[in-house]
Amino acid sequence: MCGIVGYLGHQQASPIIVEGLRRLEYRGYDSAGIATLAGGRIEIRRAQGKLINLENQLREKPVVGSLGIGHTRWATHGRPSEINAHPHKAGGIVVVHNGIIENYLDLKESLRARGHSFKSETDTEIISHLVEEHYKHSGDLVTAVRAALKEVRGAYAVAIICEQEPDKLVAAKLGSPLVVGQGQGENFVASDIPAMLSHTREMIFLEDGEMVIVDGTGLHFTDLVGNPVQKTPKTITWTPLMAEKGGYRHFMLKEIYEQPRALADTLAGRIREEQGDVYLEDLALSDEELGGVAKLNIVACGTSWHAALVGKFLIEKLARLPVEVDIASEFRYRDPIITPDTLTLLISQSGETADTLAGLREAKGKGGKVVAICNVLDSSIARESHGVIYTHAGPEIGVASTKAFTTQLVALVLFALKLARVRGLLDADGCRALTDELVKLPRKIEEALEQDEAIEEVARLYMNASDFLYLGRGNQYPIALEGALKLKEISYIHAEGYPAGEMKHGPIALIDENLPVVVLLPNNDTREKVISNMQEVRARAGKVIAVTDHDDPLVRDNADQVLVFPSTCDDLMPVILSVPMQLLAYHIAVLKGTDVDQPRNLAKSVTVE
Ligand code: F6R
């Protein structure tokens, strides 16, 4: 996710901002930029790639001034490039932004009609133009920012400066983080605490709908209409590393907790409530092309392959389109049958996985259409595909995938709905029934996270087991695979995922009093069958950990531990029950003392075969 740093004080802003941006590097970024104001003029420097590129530019062409804003960009709208890097300028107004402006296309069109022209592909640039336009009317930066933000829909944290008001920095927040650092005769704004920690420990956290005006007299807090808001600084005692993790012990845990936000961002702007439809802005296939698809191949590796397996259930059920799922390293060598009416969907968080990329080229080389679900804008897989559905999980630092996985699941639901609508298998009401549940999902994931302590207790009971079995049926079978993979990856405990009904065909031989069996038990048509499988485990002295959305005596009688989660429709239950899979693996790994964020032998992005 993007990082923002702003400074107004008695020192040169540029080195302070660059140092702050460096402390936000953990958030992930693909370009960086800075703007400072001196002598009534704002100078901007921007560079694609790592901060060192920006620093090299600054060495060649330094910027001066004690007011400035800086930014590290994680591309969401528009490819990573210097031109798309922030800050963006319109007239005398300069803006950095974190978040997604949902109505930016409409706003851009109307601004164009009023004579504005744009240099970048970003949603952010429209904010600078909106503020510029309002500034012409009001001649006051704060008033202009408020008026501009009124027109904007979506999530944002913004920091804005203006050539005409050289002693002022305005920042506001709705849905994206923004913290104010209060120093002695100098003040800071930033996306996160670490950016300011070497200058001050007095932090003020902006709430959604609040803004701060930083000027020569100090800090002034208001809501977006202008009503004053009382804020009190908190003294932060974190070390810089603790601060990067937002107080969480590991990036993995932080990312697990970021899921409500990641899911909301992935849904943002994509549900057409009135039409009972979904909108996938970069899919690049017409309804006719989608309607003409006779078979779908889904190709991926690891956790993304588990998402693909869930996708098969969703797409076959909702769109009645035959789906074949392949592991990419198999697909690329099995001479797959690709006809002109075959569509291949690649799923890759990083967009750089070598086998998945080779699978893409195989399908494309055979004349098939290819689309991708990716988390990284303009990654190789995204670039080479005909169309893309981006997940908006933000960068994932922990090697074990968590928020990237659940956002892939949500992207697959959207894709299944799109296919079902164009194939005439779902009417507007049918689509709305599912999208109504989708929008409730972030809140339900928050509720699921409240079970963290209960899951930790279960982890304590079983941390010394040498093997685990995970069982699920239907769309929960891939979640059983994912639970087993998470545990293997970070705790180094051997674990297997199985379709619950398959247990008696072999794995049942493993069961004894030392084998914990995690059973995924949603309240659906196969519940009784899964409970029978639990009885089979218990009859052989195995330990059953039931993970369910429906607690009753039948479950209690057949389980050693019961973990209860919020309910939703069956198509979305895999998203909810992924949370306990992640947290159980996480807590066991922490108790065993393994390196949770960088487990042995694993790489975050597997770019070799
Ligand atoms: C497991 C994990 C891996 C990746 C796999 C594919 O936690 O993260 O199994 O899912 O290496 O990576 P992407 O999705 O980047 O193609």
PDB file of all heavy atoms in Angstrom, residues 245 248-259 396-403 486-487 489-490 581-587 589 596-597:
ATOM      1  N   LYS A 245       5.316  -3.021  11.990  1.00  0.00           N
ATOM      2  CA  LYS A 245       4.309  -4.083  12.005  1.00  0.00           C
ATOM      3  C   LYS A 245       3.019  -3.604  12.664  1.00  0.00           C
ATOM      4  O   LYS A 245       2.168  -4.419  13.023  1.00  0.00           O
ATOM      5  CB  LYS A 245       4.866  -5.294  12.743  1.00  0.00           C
ATOM      6  CG  LYS A 245       5.994  -5.949  11.971  1.00  0.00           C
ATOM      7  CD  LYS A 245       6.616  -7.062  12.741  1.00  0.00           C
ATOM      8  CE  LYS A 245       7.800  -7.584  11.945  1.00  0.00           C
ATOM      9  NZ  LYS A 245       8.752  -8.290  12.779  1.00  0.00           N
ATOM     10  N   TYR A 248       1.774  -5.328  15.652  1.00  0.00           N
ATOM     11  CA  TYR A 248       1.611  -6.781  15.577  1.00  0.00           C
ATOM     12  C   TYR A 248       2.983  -7.434  15.708  1.00  0.00           C
ATOM     13  O   TYR A 248       3.987  -6.863  15.279  1.00  0.00           O
ATOM     14  CB  TYR A 248       0.973  -7.198  14.242  1.00  0.00           C
ATOM     15  CG  TYR A 248      -0.470  -6.793  14.122  1.00  0.00           C
ATOM     16  CD1 TYR A 248      -0.840  -5.624  13.455  1.00  0.00           C
ATOM     17  CD2 TYR A 248      -1.466  -7.573  14.696  1.00  0.00           C
ATOM     18  CE1 TYR A 248      -2.168  -5.255  13.351  1.00  0.00           C
ATOM     19  CE2 TYR A 248      -2.798  -7.205  14.603  1.00  0.00           C
ATOM     20  CZ  TYR A 248      -3.147  -6.052  13.926  1.00  0.00           C
ATOM     21  OH  TYR A 248      -4.456  -5.685  13.833  1.00  0.00           O
ATOM     22  N   ARG A 249       2.971  -8.665  16.215  1.00  0.00           N
ATOM     23  CA  ARG A 249       4.253  -9.325  16.423  1.00  0.00           C
ATOM     24  C   ARG A 249       4.880  -9.742  15.094  1.00  0.00           C
ATOM     25  O   ARG A 249       6.107  -9.786  14.963  1.00  0.00           O
ATOM     26  CB  ARG A 249       4.004 -10.542  17.317  1.00  0.00           C
ATOM     27  CG  ARG A 249       5.240 -11.167  17.811  1.00  0.00           C
ATOM     28  CD  ARG A 249       4.923 -12.040  19.012  1.00  0.00           C
ATOM     29  NE  ARG A 249       6.014 -12.945  19.270  1.00  0.00           N
ATOM     30  CZ  ARG A 249       5.926 -14.017  20.021  1.00  0.00           C
ATOM     31  NH1 ARG A 249       4.769 -14.321  20.580  1.00  0.00           N
ATOM     32  NH2 ARG A 249       6.967 -14.781  20.212  1.00  0.00           N
ATOM     33  N   HIS A 250       4.072 -10.079  14.128  1.00  0.00           N
ATOM     34  CA  HIS A 250       4.583 -10.506  12.818  1.00  0.00           C
ATOM     35  C   HIS A 250       3.769  -9.859  11.694  1.00  0.00           C
ATOM     36  O   HIS A 250       2.588  -9.559  11.878  1.00  0.00           O
ATOM     37  CB  HIS A 250       4.465 -12.030  12.672  1.00  0.00           C
ATOM     38  CG  HIS A 250       5.300 -12.781  13.638  1.00  0.00           C
ATOM     39  ND1 HIS A 250       4.778 -13.309  14.794  1.00  0.00           N
ATOM     40  CD2 HIS A 250       6.626 -13.085  13.631  1.00  0.00           C
ATOM     41  CE1 HIS A 250       5.747 -13.917  15.471  1.00  0.00           C
ATOM     42  NE2 HIS A 250       6.883 -13.787  14.791  1.00  0.00           N
ATOM     43  N   PHE A 251       4.420  -9.749  10.523  1.00  0.00           N
ATOM     44  CA  PHE A 251       3.681  -9.254   9.357  1.00  0.00           C
ATOM     45  C   PHE A 251       2.506 -10.181   9.036  1.00  0.00           C
ATOM     46  O   PHE A 251       1.437  -9.733   8.645  1.00  0.00           O
ATOM     47  CB  PHE A 251       4.603  -9.162   8.131  1.00  0.00           C
ATOM     48  CG  PHE A 251       5.469  -7.942   8.160  1.00  0.00           C
ATOM     49  CD1 PHE A 251       6.841  -8.035   8.295  1.00  0.00           C
ATOM     50  CD2 PHE A 251       4.907  -6.677   8.040  1.00  0.00           C
ATOM     51  CE1 PHE A 251       7.637  -6.912   8.329  1.00  0.00           C
ATOM     52  CE2 PHE A 251       5.692  -5.538   8.068  1.00  0.00           C
ATOM     53  CZ  PHE A 251       7.071  -5.657   8.210  1.00  0.00           C
ATOM     54  N   MET A 252       2.718 -11.492   9.210  1.00  0.00           N
ATOM     55  CA  MET A 252       1.631 -12.422   8.873  1.00  0.00           C
ATOM     56  C   MET A 252       0.377 -12.107   9.687  1.00  0.00           C
ATOM     57  O   MET A 252      -0.733 -12.083   9.161  1.00  0.00           O
ATOM     58  CB  MET A 252       2.067 -13.868   9.102  1.00  0.00           C
ATOM     59  CG  MET A 252       0.962 -14.860   8.732  1.00  0.00           C
ATOM     60  SD  MET A 252       1.493 -16.557   8.980  1.00  0.00           S
ATOM     61  CE  MET A 252      -0.030 -17.429   8.643  1.00  0.00           C
ATOM     62  N   LEU A 253       0.571 -11.852  10.976  1.00  0.00           N
ATOM     63  CA  LEU A 253      -0.589 -11.556  11.824  1.00  0.00           C
ATOM     64  C   LEU A 253      -1.238 -10.244  11.394  1.00  0.00           C
ATOM     65  O   LEU A 253      -2.463 -10.131  11.308  1.00  0.00           O
ATOM     66  CB  LEU A 253      -0.162 -11.494  13.296  1.00  0.00           C
ATOM     67  CG  LEU A 253      -1.327 -11.402  14.286  1.00  0.00           C
ATOM     68  CD1 LEU A 253      -2.224 -12.626  14.197  1.00  0.00           C
ATOM     69  CD2 LEU A 253      -0.825 -11.237  15.714  1.00  0.00           C
ATOM     70  N   LYS A 254      -0.390  -9.268  11.100  1.00  0.00           N
ATOM     71  CA  LYS A 254      -0.915  -7.973  10.638  1.00  0.00           C
ATOM     72  C   LYS A 254      -1.760  -8.186   9.370  1.00  0.00           C
ATOM     73  O   LYS A 254      -2.850  -7.638   9.237  1.00  0.00           O
ATOM     74  CB  LYS A 254       0.256  -7.043  10.349  1.00  0.00           C
ATOM     75  CG  LYS A 254      -0.120  -5.685   9.799  1.00  0.00           C
ATOM     76  CD  LYS A 254       1.086  -4.761   9.847  1.00  0.00           C
ATOM     77  CE  LYS A 254       0.781  -3.404   9.281  1.00  0.00           C
ATOM     78  NZ  LYS A 254       1.153  -3.285   7.872  1.00  0.00           N
ATOM     79  N   GLU A 255      -1.235  -9.011   8.474  1.00  0.00           N
ATOM     80  CA  GLU A 255      -1.932  -9.224   7.202  1.00  0.00           C
ATOM     81  C   GLU A 255      -3.232 -10.008   7.394  1.00  0.00           C
ATOM     82  O   GLU A 255      -4.220  -9.761   6.704  1.00  0.00           O
ATOM     83  CB  GLU A 255      -0.975  -9.898   6.210  1.00  0.00           C
ATOM     84  CG  GLU A 255       0.052  -8.875   5.719  1.00  0.00           C
ATOM     85  CD  GLU A 255       1.364  -9.440   5.209  1.00  0.00           C
ATOM     86  OE1 GLU A 255       1.489 -10.678   5.098  1.00  0.00           O
ATOM     87  OE2 GLU A 255       2.276  -8.634   4.934  1.00  0.00           O
ATOM     88  N   ILE A 256      -3.227 -10.923   8.369  1.00  0.00           N
ATOM     89  CA  ILE A 256      -4.474 -11.641   8.683  1.00  0.00           C
ATOM     90  C   ILE A 256      -5.522 -10.614   9.150  1.00  0.00           C
ATOM     91  O   ILE A 256      -6.675 -10.644   8.744  1.00  0.00           O
ATOM     92  CB  ILE A 256      -4.222 -12.720   9.759  1.00  0.00           C
ATOM     93  CG1 ILE A 256      -3.383 -13.865   9.176  1.00  0.00           C
ATOM     94  CG2 ILE A 256      -5.533 -13.249  10.322  1.00  0.00           C
ATOM     95  CD1 ILE A 256      -2.908 -14.903  10.203  1.00  0.00           C
ATOM     96  N   TYR A 257      -5.069  -9.687   9.978  1.00  0.00           N
ATOM     97  CA  TYR A 257      -5.994  -8.679  10.517  1.00  0.00           C
ATOM     98  C   TYR A 257      -6.375  -7.609   9.485  1.00  0.00           C
ATOM     99  O   TYR A 257      -7.323  -6.869   9.677  1.00  0.00           O
ATOM    100  CB  TYR A 257      -5.409  -8.044  11.786  1.00  0.00           C
ATOM    101  CG  TYR A 257      -5.785  -8.845  13.011  1.00  0.00           C
ATOM    102  CD1 TYR A 257      -5.080  -9.988  13.360  1.00  0.00           C
ATOM    103  CD2 TYR A 257      -6.881  -8.484  13.782  1.00  0.00           C
ATOM    104  CE1 TYR A 257      -5.442 -10.751  14.454  1.00  0.00           C
ATOM    105  CE2 TYR A 257      -7.256  -9.238  14.885  1.00  0.00           C
ATOM    106  CZ  TYR A 257      -6.532 -10.367  15.222  1.00  0.00           C
ATOM    107  OH  TYR A 257      -6.919 -11.118  16.304  1.00  0.00           O
ATOM    108  N   GLU A 258      -5.599  -7.526   8.420  1.00  0.00           N
ATOM    109  CA  GLU A 258      -5.935  -6.535   7.377  1.00  0.00           C
ATOM    110  C   GLU A 258      -7.034  -7.038   6.441  1.00  0.00           C
ATOM    111  O   GLU A 258      -7.469  -6.310   5.553  1.00  0.00           O
ATOM    112  CB  GLU A 258      -4.691  -6.236   6.528  1.00  0.00           C
ATOM    113  CG  GLU A 258      -3.776  -5.207   7.137  1.00  0.00           C
ATOM    114  CD  GLU A 258      -2.469  -5.068   6.362  1.00  0.00           C
ATOM    115  OE1 GLU A 258      -2.241  -5.817   5.388  1.00  0.00           O
ATOM    116  OE2 GLU A 258      -1.666  -4.221   6.741  1.00  0.00           O
ATOM    117  N   GLN A 259      -7.456  -8.290   6.622  1.00  0.00           N
ATOM    118  CA  GLN A 259      -8.380  -8.865   5.635  1.00  0.00           C
ATOM    119  C   GLN A 259      -9.701  -8.119   5.462  1.00  0.00           C
ATOM    120  O   GLN A 259     -10.150  -7.961   4.328  1.00  0.00           O
ATOM    121  CB  GLN A 259      -8.603 -10.348   5.913  1.00  0.00           C
ATOM    122  CG  GLN A 259      -7.339 -11.130   5.545  1.00  0.00           C
ATOM    123  CD  GLN A 259      -7.398 -12.605   5.841  1.00  0.00           C
ATOM    124  OE1 GLN A 259      -7.429 -13.424   4.950  1.00  0.00           O
ATOM    125  NE2 GLN A 259      -7.420 -12.936   7.114  1.00  0.00           N
ATOM    126  N   GLU A 396       1.875  -8.057   0.309  1.00  0.00           N
ATOM    127  CA  GLU A 396       1.921  -9.081   1.354  1.00  0.00           C
ATOM    128  C   GLU A 396       3.392  -9.340   1.648  1.00  0.00           C
ATOM    129  O   GLU A 396       4.140  -9.713   0.755  1.00  0.00           O
ATOM    130  CB  GLU A 396       1.234 -10.343   0.833  1.00  0.00           C
ATOM    131  CG  GLU A 396       0.646 -11.200   1.893  1.00  0.00           C
ATOM    132  CD  GLU A 396      -0.123 -12.377   1.288  1.00  0.00           C
ATOM    133  OE1 GLU A 396       0.427 -13.079   0.419  1.00  0.00           O
ATOM    134  OE2 GLU A 396      -1.266 -12.579   1.684  1.00  0.00           O
ATOM    135  N   ILE A 397       3.794  -9.123   2.890  1.00  0.00           N
ATOM    136  CA  ILE A 397       5.208  -9.270   3.254  1.00  0.00           C
ATOM    137  C   ILE A 397       5.470 -10.677   3.794  1.00  0.00           C
ATOM    138  O   ILE A 397       6.458 -11.307   3.459  1.00  0.00           O
ATOM    139  CB  ILE A 397       5.614  -8.228   4.332  1.00  0.00           C
ATOM    140  CG1 ILE A 397       5.134  -6.831   3.967  1.00  0.00           C
ATOM    141  CG2 ILE A 397       7.119  -8.271   4.615  1.00  0.00           C
ATOM    142  CD1 ILE A 397       5.902  -6.088   2.958  1.00  0.00           C
ATOM    143  N   GLY A 398       4.577 -11.164   4.656  1.00  0.00           N
ATOM    144  CA  GLY A 398       4.722 -12.524   5.193  1.00  0.00           C
ATOM    145  C   GLY A 398       4.747 -13.508   4.030  1.00  0.00           C
ATOM    146  O   GLY A 398       3.961 -13.368   3.089  1.00  0.00           O
ATOM    147  N   VAL A 399       5.654 -14.483   4.101  1.00  0.00           N
ATOM    148  CA  VAL A 399       5.763 -15.432   2.980  1.00  0.00           C
ATOM    149  C   VAL A 399       4.480 -16.252   2.842  1.00  0.00           C
ATOM    150  O   VAL A 399       4.025 -16.529   1.730  1.00  0.00           O
ATOM    151  CB  VAL A 399       7.020 -16.322   3.168  1.00  0.00           C
ATOM    152  CG1 VAL A 399       6.961 -17.537   2.272  1.00  0.00           C
ATOM    153  CG2 VAL A 399       8.275 -15.509   2.852  1.00  0.00           C
ATOM    154  N   ALA A 400       3.886 -16.647   3.940  1.00  0.00           N
ATOM    155  CA  ALA A 400       2.653 -17.438   3.859  1.00  0.00           C
ATOM    156  C   ALA A 400       1.495 -16.523   3.481  1.00  0.00           C
ATOM    157  O   ALA A 400       1.194 -15.546   4.163  1.00  0.00           O
ATOM    158  CB  ALA A 400       2.388 -18.107   5.198  1.00  0.00           C
ATOM    159  N   SER A 401       0.855 -16.867   2.385  1.00  0.00           N
ATOM    160  CA  SER A 401      -0.183 -15.996   1.849  1.00  0.00           C
ATOM    161  C   SER A 401      -1.455 -16.060   2.702  1.00  0.00           C
ATOM    162  O   SER A 401      -1.912 -17.139   3.066  1.00  0.00           O
ATOM    163  CB  SER A 401      -0.481 -16.450   0.423  1.00  0.00           C
ATOM    164  OG  SER A 401      -1.303 -15.533  -0.192  1.00  0.00           O
ATOM    165  N   THR A 402      -2.016 -14.919   3.019  1.00  0.00           N
ATOM    166  CA  THR A 402      -3.257 -14.873   3.811  1.00  0.00           C
ATOM    167  C   THR A 402      -4.271 -13.948   3.139  1.00  0.00           C
ATOM    168  O   THR A 402      -5.200 -14.405   2.488  1.00  0.00           O
ATOM    169  CB  THR A 402      -2.969 -14.394   5.255  1.00  0.00           C
ATOM    170  OG1 THR A 402      -2.236 -13.150   5.196  1.00  0.00           O
ATOM    171  CG2 THR A 402      -2.181 -15.428   6.029  1.00  0.00           C
ATOM    172  N   LYS A 403      -4.021 -12.628   3.232  1.00  0.00           N
ATOM    173  CA  LYS A 403      -5.001 -11.693   2.663  1.00  0.00           C
ATOM    174  C   LYS A 403      -5.045 -11.793   1.142  1.00  0.00           C
ATOM    175  O   LYS A 403      -6.078 -11.539   0.522  1.00  0.00           O
ATOM    176  CB  LYS A 403      -4.721 -10.261   3.118  1.00  0.00           C
ATOM    177  CG  LYS A 403      -3.360  -9.737   2.710  1.00  0.00           C
ATOM    178  CD  LYS A 403      -3.169  -8.291   3.120  1.00  0.00           C
ATOM    179  CE  LYS A 403      -1.819  -7.777   2.682  1.00  0.00           C
ATOM    180  NZ  LYS A 403      -1.656  -6.348   2.795  1.00  0.00           N
ATOM    181  N   LYS A 486      -0.781 -24.066   5.188  1.00  0.00           N
ATOM    182  CA  LYS A 486      -0.326 -22.988   6.088  1.00  0.00           C
ATOM    183  C   LYS A 486       0.459 -23.593   7.254  1.00  0.00           C
ATOM    184  O   LYS A 486       1.500 -23.087   7.635  1.00  0.00           O
ATOM    185  CB  LYS A 486      -1.515 -22.189   6.656  1.00  0.00           C
ATOM    186  CG  LYS A 486      -2.236 -21.258   5.716  1.00  0.00           C
ATOM    187  CD  LYS A 486      -1.481 -20.021   5.323  1.00  0.00           C
ATOM    188  CE  LYS A 486      -0.654 -20.245   4.099  1.00  0.00           C
ATOM    189  NZ  LYS A 486      -1.184 -19.824   2.832  1.00  0.00           N
ATOM    190  N   LEU A 487      -0.083 -24.685   7.825  1.00  0.00           N
ATOM    191  CA  LEU A 487       0.585 -25.291   8.982  1.00  0.00           C
ATOM    192  C   LEU A 487       1.959 -25.823   8.591  1.00  0.00           C
ATOM    193  O   LEU A 487       2.950 -25.590   9.291  1.00  0.00           O
ATOM    194  CB  LEU A 487      -0.294 -26.415   9.549  1.00  0.00           C
ATOM    195  CG  LEU A 487       0.199 -26.987  10.873  1.00  0.00           C
ATOM    196  CD1 LEU A 487       0.030 -25.968  12.003  1.00  0.00           C
ATOM    197  CD2 LEU A 487      -0.546 -28.273  11.235  1.00  0.00           C
ATOM    198  N   GLU A 489       3.891 -24.909   6.121  1.00  0.00           N
ATOM    199  CA  GLU A 489       4.821 -23.842   5.739  1.00  0.00           C
ATOM    200  C   GLU A 489       5.486 -23.164   6.927  1.00  0.00           C
ATOM    201  O   GLU A 489       6.679 -22.894   6.891  1.00  0.00           O
ATOM    202  CB  GLU A 489       4.064 -22.743   4.979  1.00  0.00           C
ATOM    203  CG  GLU A 489       3.741 -23.057   3.564  1.00  0.00           C
ATOM    204  CD  GLU A 489       3.066 -21.858   2.920  1.00  0.00           C
ATOM    205  OE1 GLU A 489       1.951 -21.492   3.341  1.00  0.00           O
ATOM    206  OE2 GLU A 489       3.658 -21.293   1.995  1.00  0.00           O
ATOM    207  N   ILE A 490       4.684 -22.857   7.945  1.00  0.00           N
ATOM    208  CA  ILE A 490       5.269 -21.995   8.980  1.00  0.00           C
ATOM    209  C   ILE A 490       5.591 -22.711  10.279  1.00  0.00           C
ATOM    210  O   ILE A 490       6.364 -22.200  11.081  1.00  0.00           O
ATOM    211  CB  ILE A 490       4.405 -20.737   9.244  1.00  0.00           C
ATOM    212  CG1 ILE A 490       2.992 -21.118   9.692  1.00  0.00           C
ATOM    213  CG2 ILE A 490       4.349 -19.847   8.016  1.00  0.00           C
ATOM    214  CD1 ILE A 490       2.205 -19.923  10.183  1.00  0.00           C
ATOM    215  N   MET A 581      -8.056 -21.187   9.751  1.00  0.00           N
ATOM    216  CA  MET A 581      -6.928 -21.964   9.211  1.00  0.00           C
ATOM    217  C   MET A 581      -5.631 -21.161   9.363  1.00  0.00           C
ATOM    218  O   MET A 581      -4.595 -21.688   9.755  1.00  0.00           O
ATOM    219  CB  MET A 581      -7.151 -22.275   7.718  1.00  0.00           C
ATOM    220  CG  MET A 581      -8.398 -23.086   7.389  1.00  0.00           C
ATOM    221  SD  MET A 581      -8.449 -24.693   8.182  1.00  0.00           S
ATOM    222  CE  MET A 581      -9.510 -24.379   9.567  1.00  0.00           C
ATOM    223  N   GLN A 582      -5.718 -19.871   9.047  1.00  0.00           N
ATOM    224  CA  GLN A 582      -4.530 -19.012   9.125  1.00  0.00           C
ATOM    225  C   GLN A 582      -4.078 -18.837  10.571  1.00  0.00           C
ATOM    226  O   GLN A 582      -2.886 -18.967  10.887  1.00  0.00           O
ATOM    227  CB  GLN A 582      -4.865 -17.632   8.530  1.00  0.00           C
ATOM    228  CG  GLN A 582      -5.304 -17.671   7.084  1.00  0.00           C
ATOM    229  CD  GLN A 582      -6.016 -16.390   6.630  1.00  0.00           C
ATOM    230  OE1 GLN A 582      -6.369 -15.536   7.448  1.00  0.00           O
ATOM    231  NE2 GLN A 582      -6.220 -16.261   5.327  1.00  0.00           N
ATOM    232  N   LEU A 583      -5.059 -18.549  11.445  1.00  0.00           N
ATOM    233  CA  LEU A 583      -4.689 -18.244  12.839  1.00  0.00           C
ATOM    234  C   LEU A 583      -4.181 -19.472  13.587  1.00  0.00           C
ATOM    235  O   LEU A 583      -3.280 -19.375  14.413  1.00  0.00           O
ATOM    236  CB  LEU A 583      -5.881 -17.611  13.575  1.00  0.00           C
ATOM    237  CG  LEU A 583      -6.149 -16.149  13.230  1.00  0.00           C
ATOM    238  CD1 LEU A 583      -7.463 -15.682  13.850  1.00  0.00           C
ATOM    239  CD2 LEU A 583      -5.005 -15.237  13.701  1.00  0.00           C
ATOM    240  N   LEU A 584      -4.744 -20.647  13.279  1.00  0.00           N
ATOM    241  CA  LEU A 584      -4.275 -21.859  13.957  1.00  0.00           C
ATOM    242  C   LEU A 584      -2.815 -22.118  13.578  1.00  0.00           C
ATOM    243  O   LEU A 584      -1.965 -22.369  14.443  1.00  0.00           O
ATOM    244  CB  LEU A 584      -5.165 -23.050  13.577  1.00  0.00           C
ATOM    245  CG  LEU A 584      -4.818 -24.361  14.279  1.00  0.00           C
ATOM    246  CD1 LEU A 584      -4.992 -24.234  15.794  1.00  0.00           C
ATOM    247  CD2 LEU A 584      -5.676 -25.523  13.754  1.00  0.00           C
ATOM    248  N   ALA A 585      -2.514 -22.036  12.280  1.00  0.00           N
ATOM    249  CA  ALA A 585      -1.130 -22.246  11.836  1.00  0.00           C
ATOM    250  C   ALA A 585      -0.218 -21.196  12.465  1.00  0.00           C
ATOM    251  O   ALA A 585       0.874 -21.508  12.954  1.00  0.00           O
ATOM    252  CB  ALA A 585      -1.067 -22.168  10.313  1.00  0.00           C
ATOM    253  N   TYR A 586      -0.693 -19.956  12.467  1.00  0.00           N
ATOM    254  CA  TYR A 586       0.122 -18.861  13.011  1.00  0.00           C
ATOM    255  C   TYR A 586       0.469 -19.116  14.482  1.00  0.00           C
ATOM    256  O   TYR A 586       1.637 -19.047  14.880  1.00  0.00           O
ATOM    257  CB  TYR A 586      -0.616 -17.519  12.864  1.00  0.00           C
ATOM    258  CG  TYR A 586       0.099 -16.408  13.582  1.00  0.00           C
ATOM    259  CD1 TYR A 586       1.223 -15.812  13.026  1.00  0.00           C
ATOM    260  CD2 TYR A 586      -0.313 -15.991  14.848  1.00  0.00           C
ATOM    261  CE1 TYR A 586       1.924 -14.830  13.707  1.00  0.00           C
ATOM    262  CE2 TYR A 586       0.376 -15.013  15.537  1.00  0.00           C
ATOM    263  CZ  TYR A 586       1.491 -14.430  14.966  1.00  0.00           C
ATOM    264  OH  TYR A 586       2.190 -13.467  15.640  1.00  0.00           O
ATOM    265  N   HIS A 587      -0.531 -19.428  15.294  1.00  0.00           N
ATOM    266  CA  HIS A 587      -0.269 -19.582  16.732  1.00  0.00           C
ATOM    267  C   HIS A 587       0.607 -20.796  17.018  1.00  0.00           C
ATOM    268  O   HIS A 587       1.469 -20.746  17.900  1.00  0.00           O
ATOM    269  CB  HIS A 587      -1.579 -19.638  17.517  1.00  0.00           C
ATOM    270  CG  HIS A 587      -2.243 -18.302  17.608  1.00  0.00           C
ATOM    271  ND1 HIS A 587      -1.623 -17.218  18.191  1.00  0.00           N
ATOM    272  CD2 HIS A 587      -3.430 -17.852  17.157  1.00  0.00           C
ATOM    273  CE1 HIS A 587      -2.418 -16.158  18.110  1.00  0.00           C
ATOM    274  NE2 HIS A 587      -3.525 -16.520  17.477  1.00  0.00           N
ATOM    275  N   ALA A 589       2.897 -21.983  15.072  1.00  0.00           N
ATOM    276  CA  ALA A 589       4.257 -21.605  14.670  1.00  0.00           C
ATOM    277  C   ALA A 589       4.900 -20.702  15.724  1.00  0.00           C
ATOM    278  O   ALA A 589       6.065 -20.886  16.096  1.00  0.00           O
ATOM    279  CB  ALA A 589       4.216 -20.904  13.315  1.00  0.00           C
ATOM    280  N   VAL A 596       8.116 -17.067  11.547  1.00  0.00           N
ATOM    281  CA  VAL A 596       6.787 -17.034  10.930  1.00  0.00           C
ATOM    282  C   VAL A 596       6.789 -16.294   9.590  1.00  0.00           C
ATOM    283  O   VAL A 596       6.203 -16.749   8.613  1.00  0.00           O
ATOM    284  CB  VAL A 596       5.781 -16.370  11.895  1.00  0.00           C
ATOM    285  CG1 VAL A 596       4.450 -16.110  11.217  1.00  0.00           C
ATOM    286  CG2 VAL A 596       5.589 -17.250  13.110  1.00  0.00           C
ATOM    287  N   ASP A 597       7.443 -15.152   9.557  1.00  0.00           N
ATOM    288  CA  ASP A 597       7.359 -14.329   8.339  1.00  0.00           C
ATOM    289  C   ASP A 597       8.264 -14.826   7.220  1.00  0.00           C
ATOM    290  O   ASP A 597       7.988 -14.586   6.045  1.00  0.00           O
ATOM    291  CB  ASP A 597       7.696 -12.866   8.662  1.00  0.00           C
ATOM    292  CG  ASP A 597       6.529 -12.172   9.355  1.00  0.00           C
ATOM    293  OD1 ASP A 597       5.378 -12.574   9.104  1.00  0.00           O
ATOM    294  OD2 ASP A 597       6.776 -11.248  10.140  1.00  0.00           O
TER     295      ASP A 597
END
